[in-house]
Amino acid sequence: MNTILRWLFDLFLRFTRTLDWPLLAALLALMGIGLAVLHSASGQNLALVQSQAARYAVGLGAMWLLSRIPPPPLRRATPVLYGLSLLPLLTVLVVGTGRSGAHWIDLGVFFFQPAELMKLSLPMMAAWMLSQAPLPPRFGPVLATAAIIGVPTGLILLQPDFGTAMLVAASGVFALYLAGLSWGWFLAAGAGAATAAGLALLAPISWFSFLRPYQQDRILTFRDPQNDPLGAGWNIIQSKIAIGSGGLTGQGWGEGTQSHLNYVPEHTTDFIFAVLAEEFGWLGVATVLALYAFVIGRCLWIAAEARDAYARILAGSLGLALFVYVVVNGGMVSGLLPVVGVPMPLLSFGGTAAVSLLAGLGVVMSVGAHAQGKKR
């Protein structure tokens, strides 16, 4: 019996040695909290919770598989993966579906969001390009990386999906930062983008020609939600009420009035963080944010220990991208940022986003597992 148990234990270690256990523990905690909040937000809909748990299982499988692939093969396959990820972005513009554009492809069994693939393949491609030449990068590699970022970002904007486009672009920008690009580049680009955006919004032709009605509403609502409290401002007003009513310890699991009486919009997806705040209060929010901080910090620590520039840039970009996801959703539901339809990682209901995030963290685990030449 002892021999069999020892053999099983050795087999277990053999197949899980590439997993980063502290990182995995934090992710499992976030997924557990996500399922608990989803159970409450959905009105105890077990089918919805089981569906999300199945998505987590698929994501964990992808994470385990990618953690076992060393960075060199991933690096060689990067251009092909990036090119293949562009094809669904073109396809969704033709056959896609969505409430305000073409965001998803209906595969019959589930809806697939092609833009989520770019949250992994874009930072991989940016890291591949930047690692081809000595760092910090010169003008040529920077220009090429900008094109790598710009093509999928532009395609996602055509859907239109500004929130996802912003997150995808951010992962590429982080790759440039981690490659050692001078701060002057970022300041100049930021100033140029802010100026262009300001002029575009001030120009009547831009306001009416390039912004859809729901985008105009989001901008006006961000400025003053009370301007239309029963219309465009309803979502953010109710979300802020839910967050404020949570207090220190919350109203209790399943006891949130704002969400259960359907005042909070999209309470199982984009605004699920408001449900968490209402039912678990400041303590619940602080716990979840601490878990996110640990995951992001662990990714950056793994990036710092990476063996080469490609692995370092890639792991760091994926970790910092997660930081942006959390900040944007948290700012959105609390009224600090405009509503852009960005889900909270591993809390909001959704399959493609969860699987892509866990797959990306599997790549980070691969970087960590092979940093010292560990065998698979």
Side-chain angles (χ1 to χ4, degrees):
M1 179 62 69
N2 289 337
T3 302
I4 295 176
L5 291 176
R6 189 180 300 110
W7 178 80
L8 291 174
F9 182 70
D10 290 341
L11 186 65
F12 173 79
L13 290 179
R14 178 183 176 184
F15 282 96
T16 61
R17 66 176 58 190
T18 55
L19 296 176
D20 186 276
W21 289 104
L23 180 55
L24 179 60
L27 293 173
L28 291 174
L30 283 170
M31 285 185 278
I33 294 172
L35 292 176
V37 177
L38 180 62
H39 180 268
S40 174
S42 64
Q44 301 181 357
N45 187 335
L46 289 178
L48 197 69
V49 175
Q50 291 169 353
S51 175
Q52 185 69 356
R55 290 171 167 87
Y56 287 156
V58 173
L60 289 170
M63 182 181 70
W64 171 79
L65 182 63
L66 287 170
S67 74
R68 296 184 59 81
I69 303 176
L74 287 175
R75 179 175 180 173
R76 291 191 293 270
T78 289
V80 175
L81 294 175
Y82 176 80
L84 292 176
S85 297
L86 289 174
L87 296 179
L89 286 181
L90 295 170
T91 304
V92 75
L93 297 176
V94 180
V95 301
T97 183
R99 288 179 298 178
S100 56
H103 305 159
W104 296 278
I105 297 176
D106 186 357
L107 298 180
V109 180
F110 61 92
F111 286 90
F112 169 65
Q113 188 173 5
E116 292 293 335
L117 294 177
M118 278 295 159
K119 291 182 179 179
L120 177 57
S121 60
L122 175 58
M124 289 179 67
M125 189 62 191
W128 180 88
M129 175 57 66
L130 293 168
S131 63
Q132 299 299 306
L135 300 179
R138 298 182 181 273
F139 180 76
V142 171
L143 189 62
T145 305
I148 290 169
I149 298 170
V151 171
T153 301
L155 291 174
I156 296 171
L157 285 173
L158 290 175
Q159 296 181 8
D161 189 348
F162 177 79
T164 303
M166 177 184 63
L167 298 181
V168 167
S171 65
V173 172
F174 284 134
L176 287 168
Y177 168 73
L178 293 169
L181 186 64
S182 170
W183 275 101
W185 285 81
F186 295 105
L187 293 175
T195 301
L199 292 175
L201 292 177
L202 290 174
I205 188 173
S206 299
W207 179 265
F208 293 106
S209 300
F210 297 105
L211 293 179
R212 298 195 175 193
Y214 78 93
Q215 293 173 325
Q216 297 172 8
D217 289 339
R218 285 178 175 178
I219 295 173
L220 295 174
T221 300
F222 173 65
R223 292 179 57 189
D224 183 13
Q226 297 295 337
N227 188 49
D228 187 12
L230 298 180
W234 174 267
N235 293 356
I236 190 60
I237 291 173
Q238 298 304 319
S239 176
K240 291 167 70 173
I241 292 174
I243 294 173
S245 65
L248 179 63
T249 58
Q251 297 186 15
W253 184 39
E255 301 296 328
T257 55
Q258 290 296 113
S259 55
H260 287 283
L261 294 177
N262 293 324
Y263 285 105
V264 177
E266 307 292 344
H267 50 272
T268 61
T269 52
D270 294 348
F271 283 83
I272 197 170
F273 197 66
V275 180
L276 169 74
E278 182 182 25
E279 298 191 351
F280 295 94
W282 182 88
L283 292 177
V285 170
T287 300
V288 169
L289 292 180
L291 288 170
Y292 282 129
F294 178 82
V295 172
I296 296 164
R298 187 68 178 175
C299 290
L300 296 179
W301 182 86
I302 290 173
E305 298 293 319
R307 299 177 64 183
D308 54 48
Y310 171 79
R312 174 175 58 83
I313 294 172
L314 177 55
S317 298
L318 293 171
L320 290 174
L322 176 60
F323 169 77
V324 175
Y325 307 159
V326 174
V327 169
V328 170
N329 182 272
M332 180 183 76
V333 301
S334 59
L336 299 176
L337 293 173
V339 176
V340 291
V342 173
M344 182 61 82
L346 299 181
L347 262 67
S348 298
F349 177 78
T352 313
V355 172
S356 65
L357 174 63
L358 292 171
L361 292 173
V363 173
V364 174
M365 290 183 182
S366 169
V367 172
H370 299 90
Q372 304 299 328
K374 295 180 182 178
K375 296 181 179 179
R376 285 180 291 167

